[in-house]
Amino acid sequence: MEVFGLVGPLYRRVQRKIEQDAPEQDLSVGVRAVLDLLREHGPMTVPQMGQAQSLSRQFVQRMVNDAAARGFTETIPNPAHQRSSLIRLTDAGLAAITAVTAREHALLRRVGGGLTDAEVTACVRVLSRMLELFDDVEVTGTPPR
């Protein structure tokens, strides 16, 4: 539980700092998450993004709408399901998420304490395993089936 006690505030502070340092981009945490997910995985449906991020479909849809209004994403036909379009990054969206992540990486490289690559790798491994432990948690609040 100590890890969760540190990760939550750390995540929120890092996101606030990045938003403060990049007012020209004016990316909310939600839009940033959508852009990052699409950059990493390619075109996805809103329900797929919600599931991948453990967020409600309605929240993800609002973030996708915000991103689309700014020209960062676009809707394309989904060959697998006509009623659920795919969302993909535009060139502007790719440029925006690339710039934001470059700033994030530069900021986080300033972490001191002489951390080794092995320590960072171990930390990522621990957090990944903790995330896997809660893979069955439903976002909607309904019990898993």
Side-chain angles (χ1 to χ4, degrees):
M1 289 312 297
E2 288 178 59
V3 173
F4 289 122
L6 294 171
V7 169
L10 173 63
Y11 173 78
R12 289 185 293 277
R13 288 178 190 175
V14 167
Q15 291 305 318
R16 269 190 235 116
K17 177 66 173 161
I18 287 161
E19 287 176 345
Q20 290 169 357
D21 286 354
E24 69 279 354
Q25 294 271 211
D26 192 30
L27 286 182
S28 69
V29 172
V31 170
R32 183 235 177 267
V34 164
L35 298 181
D36 197 41
L37 192 61
L38 293 174
R39 180 185 60 172
E40 187 174 325
H41 298 287
M44 299 175 77
T45 65
V46 168
Q48 288 170 330
M49 285 187 271
Q51 184 176 18
Q53 296 175 333
S54 298
L55 295 170
S56 73
R57 187 199 61 76
Q58 294 83 1
F59 177 77
V60 173
Q61 184 66 62
R62 284 195 311 271
M63 297 303 102
V64 166
N65 292 347
D66 288 351
R70 303 199 41 214
F72 294 153
T73 62
E74 61 188 359
T75 304
I76 59 171
N78 183 352
H81 194 270
Q82 291 182 352
R83 291 179 49 181
S84 187
S85 299
L86 290 170
I87 310 301
R88 77 172 169 199
L89 279 179
T90 62
D91 290 341
L94 180 59
I97 192 61
T98 299
V100 167
T101 54
R103 279 193 301 278
E104 290 172 357
H105 286 257
L107 175 65
L108 294 174
R109 277 189 205 99
R110 296 185 348 214
V111 172
L115 296 175
T116 66
D117 286 343
E119 289 171 319
V120 172
T121 299
C123 180
V124 169
R125 183 171 180 267
V126 168
L127 293 175
S128 296
R129 294 301 303 252
M130 291 174 77
L131 185 60
E132 288 171 10
L133 178 65
F134 297 100
D135 273 349
D136 65 336
V137 175
E138 291 283 327
V139 179
T140 61
T142 59
R145 291 183 216 139

